[in-house]
Amino acid sequence: MTPILEVQGISKFFGSVNALQDISLAVQAGQVTCVLGDNGAGKSTLIKILSGVFGPDKGDFLVDGSPTRFASPRDARSAGIATVYQDLAMVPLMSVWRNFFLGSEPTKGWGPFRRFDVATAKRLTSTELKAMGIDVRDPDQTVGTLSGGERQSVAIARAIHFGARLLILDEPTSALGVKQAGVVLRRIAQAREQGLGVIFITHNPHHAYPVGDRFVVLKRGKSLGNFARSEIERDELVRLMAGGAELDELSHELERPV
Amino acid sequence: MARKKFVAGLLVAPLLLLAACTSGNNSNSAGGGSAAGGKVCSYTFAVITHGDNGNFWSVVYKGAKNAASDLGCKLSEVYGSQQQGQAEPDDNAENAQIQNAVNAHVDGIAVSDHDPAVMNATLASAAAAGIPVVLINAGCDDQDIAQSKAITCVGQPESLAGQKAGERFLNEKASNVLCVIHQSGQNLLDRCNGIAQGLGVGSTCSTGSAPAGGPACTELILSTPNAASNPQQAVGQVTAYLQSHPGVNAVMTLNNAIGQALVVAKPSKVKIATFDLDSDVQNDLSASPPTLDFAVDQQQYLQGYLPISFLYLYKKHEGNSVGGGATVASGPLLVDNTNIQKVAAAIAAGDD
Amino acid sequence: MTTRQTEITAAGPDERLARTSGLTRALRRPAFGALLGAVVVFVLFAVTDQQGLWLTQTGFESWAQQASFYGIMAVPVGLLMIGGEFDLSTGGMTGFTAIITALLISKLGWNAWVAIAVTFVVAGLVGLLNGYVVVKSKLPSFIVTLATYFVVRGLSIGGVLLVNNGQSSISVATGTHSGLASAKAVFGSSFGKSTALPNGYSTEILWFVAVTVVATWILARTRYGNWVTASGGDQDAARNVGVPVQRTKISLFVMTSLATALVGVISFTQTSNAVAEQGVGNEFYFIIAAVAGGCLLTGGYGSVVGAALGACIIGMALEGVIYAGWDSSWDFTFLGAILFLAVGVNTIIYRRAMRARR
C-alpha cells in the first residue's frame, strides 16, 4: 500500500546549521509512526516540512507516492494532511463550537445576508465530540475551561471531521498529566482504527510505545534508526533516546556508595 | 616694504567699501516681515500663551503677527500651551517655553501669566536679564504685574467684564443667571464672580442648585470631556440644568463655541449671552429677533497687537513703559443687536 | 442523568458534572454585566432626581442623545478591541470628518450629499491606512493610530485656519446650500416632537440603534464575526486554521473610520457648524464605554451590545449628575465613581459566571 506521506533522505539547512540530515520516514493509512527525539533533535523542523510550512532543501517529499511541494499549510490541509500544533490552534476565549468550525464555518443564506449557521455548528460539534467520547457539559463553554486532554481531543476531533487522512500531532501529551495523556493516547488509537495515518511526535518514549507501529528516533538532526514495533523493545527505545551509552556512564558517576 | 603697504591697502579698501555699503543699507529689515510704512525694527519678540487654536486665540495671534508686520519686527514664536490635544492648557510647558525664550535672549516677551505661582519667578528672571515683559490676557492685576516685573498687562480684567455683564442682566430683569464654565482656570472663575458682583449678590458665584428666583449667580461646571472642543455634547448638560431649574432666566457662556451650540439647542426661554465674537455670534446678534442677547467682546485682537507695540516702544525708546504698573484694558465691549454692525467689518476680517 | 458515550470510556469525563443553569449561562454573557451596571446607574439617578425629570421623555432624550454620540463610536471601537486592536485616531477623526464636510459645502460650494460621500471615502482611506500600517509593520496599533491622530488633528486645525480667515469654526447657513436640507433631515434632525418634548428626539439615537444592531449581527451571526473574535483571541491559532487575519483587522479599522465619518456628518448637520478641535479627547471615552461593556482590553472577548450599554452608562452619568443637582464641581468625581462602579459590577459578574462552570 502506498504511504500517504513519505520523505526520503531529506535535509534542511538554516544558514550554516544543518537542522536535519538525511531523514526518511513513511506513514500508511491506519498506522501510527512515532517520531522521537529530545530537545534540539530537529523535531520542529521536521514537523514544519511535513505540514507544509516550508520544503526540504534536499531529498524527496512524496504524497500518495508522487513528488509534491506544498506552498503553504493550507495546501497541506487540502491534501488531507492536518497538523495539530502544541498550541492547538484553538482560541481559549472562544466557545468550543466556534473553535471547532473556525475557518470553515457553515453558512446559510446569500450575499450580505449570508450568515454563520450557528445552529448547525452547535449541533455538529456536539455530535462529533460525543462520538469521540467527549462530554461537553455546556455547549457555550469556552475552550479555556476544558482540561488539557479534552482540548487535545477536540483538536483531533476537529481535524478528523474536516477530512484529514493524516494527522500530524506535535507533542500532544507533553504538557499533560498521566490521566490526561491516557485520554489522548486513546484518541490516537481511535483515529488509527478509523483508518487515518498518524505521525505522533514526542520526546516521551513511554507515551510513544503503547500506540506506535513504527518509531523514528532523531538526535541532533540525524536519524538513529527507523524501527517497526516488532523490531524494538520499549526499554531499548528509552535507552536509545536517552543516549544509551552516555546514560550508563552518567549513572556510574552518579552512583552513591551505599 | 612699500609693496606690503600697497597689498594691505588693497585688502583693506574692499572691506571699507563693504562697511560703507551695509551701514547705509537700512531700508530692508533683516529677515523680518514686509516693512509697511518703511518702518524697521531689529527686534525679535516671543509670544507665549496658554492658548489653543480656537476662535479666541487665533485672533490674538493674528493681532500679534499684524503688529510685528506693521512695525517690521520679528516674532521668534507664537506659542500656545494647549496645542497638544489636551482639554486644559499646560502651564508647565508654557513656563518651560518662557525659560527657553529667556535663555535665547529674545528682545521681549509677550506672555499670558496663566499660572502666576509658577511663572512669576521665571518672568522676573527675564526682567533681571534685561528682557522686557508684557503680560497678555491672564495675570492682569496689579499684584501679578508687580511680581512678574512686567511692564503692564493688556487684557480684559475678567471680573470687570463679568461685572458689566452682571449689571446688564440686572437692568434687563433677567437676573437669575447661570454661568457656564467649560474649562478650569482662574480667569473663568473671575468672570463668573464678576457677574455676581455686577448683580449685587456678593463677591462670588455659587455652585450647586440655582434658586427659584433672582437676582442670583450660579456656576455650572461642565463635565463632558473636552467641553470646549465638543460644544454639542457639553450643551446637553446645560439644557438639562435649565430643565431642572426653571427659575433660571439668563445663561452666560464663557466661550463662543459653547454659546453658539446653546443657541442652536434652543432651550426654553432664557436670555443667552456669551464671551467673544465670531461670525456665528454676529449672525445671532443681527438676526431678527436676535437669538443672542449680547456678547462680551474682549477685543482680543488688541491683546495681541498692543503688547508687541509696547515692547517695541520700550526697546526703541529706552524705557517708554505704558500702564504705570496697572492693566491696560482691552475691553470689555458689550456688543448687541444695536451696535453689531459697527463691529461686523472687524469680524469679517478675522480681527475680532 | 444524561447517558454517557460508550466507546473508549475508561478514562471517562471529569467528575465535575454540575449542569449549568440557564441563569448562569445568561450571566456569562459579557453584556449582562453591562446591562446590570446600566440598570443600577439608571435607578440611582431615578432616585436622586430632584425635579422628577429623569423618568420623563425629556430626561430620557437628554441622556439618550449623549449616549448615542459616544455609542456610535463605542460600538466599532469595541468590535475592533475584540479583534485585538486599538484606534486612538477616532476622536480626532470625528472632528476631521465634520470639517471636511463643512469645508466642501461652504468653501467649494459642493452639493451636500456629494460632500458627505467624499467624506466617507476619505475616512475609509484613513482607516485603510491605519489597518495596513498596523498589519504590515506589526507595530502596536496604539502607536500607529496615535500618529494618525496627530496628523489628522494638524490637518483639521491648520486646514481650517488656512481657508477660514483665521476663524476656527465653520458655519453654513442651511437654506443656501444644495442638498443640505435633505442631508440634515437624514442625519441631523429630530423626530417625535410633542408638547411633552418640543424639540423631539435626535435622529442620532436612531443611527446609534442601527449601528448597534448591525454590529451585533456581524459579531454573533457571521463567519466574519467569528474571525474577528479569533483574531483578537489568538491570531496565530486563527491563521493556522486559515482565518484571513490581516484582511479581518484591516477591515475593522476601515469600519471604525467610516463610523467616525458618520459621527462627523451627524455633528455637522445637527448644527451646520464644525469646530476645528472637535472630537479631540473623546477617543478614550469610546474605549471606556467598550471596556465597561465587557470588552477585554487584551482582545478576543466582549460584546458589542455591551459597548452600547457602556455608552449608555456614560450618557446617563453625564446627564444624571445634573438632574440630581449635585454640586457641579464634584461632577468629575461622580463620573469616575460611576464608571468604576459599572466596570466593577461587570467584572464581578463575569468572574462569578466563569467560576460557576468549574
Side-chain angles (χ1 to χ4, degrees):
Chain A
M1 195 170 50
T2 351
I4 301 177
L5 183 58
E6 180 171 3
V7 292
Q8 289 170 351
I10 57 169
S11 299
K12 185 76 185 170
F13 298 88
F14 294 113
S16 56
V17 176
N18 195 350
L20 285 180
Q21 215 175 341
D22 198 27
I23 305 294
S24 302
L25 66 82
V27 190
Q28 319 265 11
Q31 192 187 64
V32 176
T33 298
C34 296
V35 176
L36 291 145
D38 217 337
N39 294 335
K43 299 199 298 291
S44 55
T45 312
L46 180 61
I47 210 185
K48 286 191 174 133
I49 292 176
L50 296 175
S51 63
V53 176
F54 44 64
D57 293 327
K58 270 201 229 169
D60 297 316
F61 188 98
L62 305 163
V63 175
D64 293 320
S66 12
T68 315
R69 190 146 199 110
F70 289 135
S72 73
R74 219 172 294 184
D75 259 9
R77 257 184 115 199
S78 339
I81 297 172
T83 309
V84 178
Y85 287 92
Q86 234 182 337
D87 64 27
L88 289 192
M90 291 246 156
V91 182
L93 288 170
M94 294 207 304
S95 60
V96 177
W97 58 270
R98 279 188 178 274
N99 265 293
F100 200 85
F101 285 97
L102 185 61
S104 320
E105 293 87 355
T107 55
K108 240 167 44 167
W110 281 73
F113 298 105
R114 190 169 173 206
R115 57 191 187 285
F116 183 1
D117 191 349
V118 168
T120 305
K122 287 190 184 178
R123 184 175 38 88
L124 276 179
T125 307
S126 211
T127 325
E128 292 291 316
L129 294 183
K130 276 219 173 70
M132 289 211 79
I134 306 165
D135 176 36
V136 175
R137 297 178 284 290
D138 165 12
D140 284 315
Q141 71 181 110
T142 62
V143 161
T145 57
L146 295 178
S147 67
E150 281 175 322
R151 275 191 243 180
Q152 284 286 351
S153 305
V154 172
I156 294 173
R158 178 173 71 180
I160 296 176
H161 173 79
F162 286 104
R165 298 185 295 142
L166 175 68
L167 286 178
I168 303 176
L169 305 177
D170 180 12
E171 308 254 16
T173 56
S174 302
L176 302 180
V178 173
K179 184 171 171 186
Q180 298 290 320
V183 168
V184 177
L185 293 178
R186 275 187 202 88
R187 301 281 167 262
I188 294 176
Q190 200 180 14
R192 174 181 55 196
E193 252 126 75
Q194 282 176 266
L196 276 76
V198 179
I199 298 180
F200 176 15
I201 301 182
T202 180
H203 65 253
N204 188 333
H206 298 283
H207 286 170
Y209 199 77
V211 293
D213 298 310
R214 290 205 74 86
F215 303 92
V216 176
V217 183
L218 295 182
K219 185 166 177 176
R220 301 170 74 75
K222 296 210 188 78
S223 169
L224 290 185
N226 189 327
F227 311 95
R229 198 204 180 93
S230 49
E231 292 166 4
I232 189 168
E233 292 285 320
R234 196 233 312 258
D235 293 333
E236 177 62 27
L237 197 61
V238 175
R239 245 186 41 98
L240 206 58
M241 274 217 56
E246 292 154 11
L247 205 58
D248 287 339
E249 232 176 83
L250 188 60
S251 63
H252 260 293
E253 271 182 58
L254 294 176
E255 228 163 41
R256 296 210 302 181
V258 176
Chain B
M1 202 61 164
R3 216 163 10 128
K4 272 194 192 152
K5 276 197 191 155
F6 179 65
V7 168
L10 267 182
L11 286 172
V12 168
L15 287 172
L16 287 173
L17 205 57
L18 203 58
C21 286
T22 49
S23 65
N25 185 15
N26 57 8
S27 51
N28 306 320
S29 54
S34 55
K39 289 220 182 119
V40 61
C41 155
S42 56
Y43 308 124
T44 302
F45 302 125
V47 178
I48 301 174
T49 72
H50 66 276
D52 60 10
N53 290 298
N55 284 330
F56 178 86
W57 283 100
S58 42
V59 176
V60 176
Y61 302 148
K62 196 151 188 245
K65 289 179 188 160
N66 284 353
S69 138
D70 285 351
L71 292 168
C73 302
K74 259 181 78 171
L75 292 181
S76 65
E77 62 179 327
V78 178
Y79 171 88
S81 74
Q82 203 183 331
Q83 275 186 13
Q84 304 311 314
Q86 304 146 315
E88 310 286 345
D90 185 345
D91 293 329
N92 288 330
E94 188 188 342
N95 195 41
Q97 205 67 13
I98 299 171
Q99 190 59 59
N100 287 345
V102 173
N103 296 342
H105 293 294
V106 295
D107 296 308
I109 309 179
V111 56
S112 69
D113 195 6
H114 194 243
D115 187 350
V118 165
M119 294 172 191
N120 282 351
T122 324
L123 293 170
S125 77
I131 303 174
V133 169
V134 172
L135 302 180
I136 318 178
N137 181 272
C140 284
D141 56 73
D142 297 358
Q143 214 185 3
D144 278 332
I145 296 175
Q147 282 180 356
S148 61
K149 304 238 189 319
I151 299 172
T152 182
C153 181
V154 179
Q156 173 180 265
E158 307 292 10
S159 44
L160 179 63
Q163 273 175 42
K164 293 281 173 233
E167 283 163 17
R168 170 141 178 170
F169 282 128
L170 198 58
N171 281 341
E172 291 178 335
K173 310 258 190 303
S175 59
N176 193 352
V177 180
L178 179 69
C179 191
V180 177
I181 301 185
H182 60 278
Q183 210 181 56
S184 73
Q186 188 58 41
N187 54 333
L188 298 182
L189 291 172
D190 286 343
R191 291 180 191 176
C192 291
N193 293 340
I195 293 177
Q197 291 157 25
L199 289 168
V201 294
S203 61
T204 55
C205 220
S206 63
T207 56
S209 233
C217 178
T218 323
E219 283 174 353
L220 171 63
I221 300 175
L222 297 174
S223 53
T224 53
N226 288 47
S229 305
N230 298 284
Q232 279 166 267
Q233 279 62 54
V235 151
Q237 289 194 318
V238 180
T239 48
Y241 194 95
L242 293 173
Q243 289 157 6
S244 306
H245 300 86
V248 172
N249 49 24
V251 179
M252 183 91 215
T253 63
L254 305 179
N255 163 300
N256 54 14
I258 307 253
Q260 177 62 15
L262 188 59
V263 165
V264 170
K266 289 201 278 276
S268 50
K269 303 229 175 295
V270 289
K271 288 194 185 297
I272 306 173
T274 186
F275 268 67
D276 309 323
L277 291 169
D278 67 355
S279 54
D280 285 330
V281 171
Q282 175 187 358
N283 291 336
D284 296 336
L285 292 171
S286 320
S288 198
T291 45
L292 208 57
D293 191 20
F294 65 91
V296 179
D297 188 0
Q298 287 193 62
Q299 300 187 119
Q300 69 266 32
Y301 181 82
L302 297 177
Q303 293 179 15
Y305 196 99
L306 293 179
I308 303 297
S309 319
F310 293 166
L311 286 170
Y312 170 76
L313 289 169
Y314 185 94
K315 292 290 289 188
K316 184 95 188 207
H317 305 275
E318 185 62 46
N320 251 2
S321 84
V322 180
T327 301
V328 170
S330 66
L333 173 67
L334 296 190
V335 182
D336 62 13
N337 188 257
T338 60
N339 60 357
I340 179 63
Q341 297 313 318
K342 282 191 260 173
V343 189
I347 298 176
D351 290 345
D352 210 1
Chain C
M1 284 286 274
T2 51
T3 47
R4 217 61 48 65
Q5 75 301 342
T6 54
E7 297 184 340
I8 297 170
T9 59
D14 284 312
E15 311 75 85
R16 315 161 294 199
L17 281 180
R19 299 232 26 126
T20 48
S21 67
L23 180 63
T24 314
R25 290 227 301 276
L27 286 176
R28 229 179 270 140
R29 301 181 69 81
F32 190 85
L35 180 62
L36 201 63
V39 167
V40 165
V41 170
F42 184 84
V43 167
L44 172 71
F45 287 119
V47 161
T48 54
D49 177 20
Q50 297 225 320
Q51 297 281 347
L53 286 167
W54 187 252
L55 297 170
T56 64
Q57 284 192 71
T58 313
F60 173 70
E61 203 280 335
S62 80
W63 70 256
Q65 189 183 13
Q66 287 281 15
S68 305
F69 173 79
Y70 295 102
I72 295 179
M73 284 315 304
V75 160
V77 163
L79 195 60
L80 181 64
M81 199 185 292
I82 293 173
E85 304 291 350
F86 292 97
D87 188 346
L88 292 186
S89 66
T90 46
M93 282 294 290
T94 60
F96 184 57
T97 48
I99 286 166
I100 293 178
T101 313
L103 285 178
L104 290 178
I105 295 177
S106 71
K107 295 296 172 193
L108 294 184
W110 286 10
N111 172 281
W113 287 100
V114 174
I116 288 172
V118 168
T119 305
F120 273 95
V121 168
V122 170
L125 289 174
V126 173
L128 198 61
L129 181 71
N130 276 337
Y132 195 78
V133 173
V134 167
V135 146
K136 293 300 176 191
S137 73
K138 302 205 203 313
L139 288 171
S141 53
F142 204 85
I143 303 291
V144 172
T145 54
L146 194 60
T148 314
Y149 157 78
F150 280 124
V151 170
V152 157
R153 206 173 150 265
L155 287 175
S156 298
I157 296 167
V160 168
L161 291 177
L162 190 69
V163 306
N164 206 33
N165 218 1
Q167 281 202 92
S168 62
S169 78
I170 311 168
S171 266
V172 173
T174 317
T176 59
H177 295 265
S178 89
L180 189 52
S182 52
K184 190 179 168 69
V186 169
F187 292 103
S189 65
S190 52
F191 64 96
K193 295 190 181 157
S194 64
T195 41
L197 193 64
N199 284 341
Y201 294 96
S202 167
T203 358
E204 194 168 17
I205 299 174
L206 294 177
W207 283 104
F208 172 40
V209 171
V211 166
T212 306
V213 166
V214 168
T216 307
W217 186 79
I218 288 177
L219 183 64
R221 286 289 176 267
T222 63
R223 296 187 303 164
Y224 177 80
N226 214 27
W227 299 347
V228 168
T229 315
S231 301
D234 187 340
Q235 59 175 335
D236 295 318
R239 211 174 290 123
N240 271 337
V241 290
V243 168
V245 170
Q246 293 197 338
R247 262 195 295 146
T248 306
K249 290 196 175 196
I250 293 177
S251 54
L252 283 172
F253 279 104
V254 171
M255 283 196 286
T256 307
S257 292
L258 289 176
T260 67
L262 179 60
V263 171
V265 168
I266 290 176
S267 291
F268 172 70
T269 51
Q270 275 178 341
T271 56
S272 299
N273 182 289
V275 177
E277 296 233 343
Q278 200 164 311
V280 158
N282 284 323
E283 50 275 342
F284 292 107
Y285 285 76
F286 305 147
I287 292 177
I288 291 171
V291 171
C295 299
L296 276 185
L297 282 170
T298 42
Y301 185 88
S303 151
V304 150
V305 169
L309 288 169
C312 288
I313 291 175
I314 290 179
M316 286 195 279
L318 289 173
E319 296 296 321
V321 292
I322 305 289
Y323 288 119
W326 292 334
D327 190 318
S328 65
S329 10
W330 291 98
D331 273 1
F332 281 107
T333 311
F334 289 133
L335 196 62
I338 284 162
L339 285 173
F340 195 73
L341 183 72
V343 178
V345 165
N346 201 334
T347 311
I348 290 172
I349 300 219
Y350 172 71
R351 294 219 183 117
R352 181 151 302 152
M354 286 298 161
R355 231 186 301 136
R357 74 170 90 223
R358 290 194 175 277

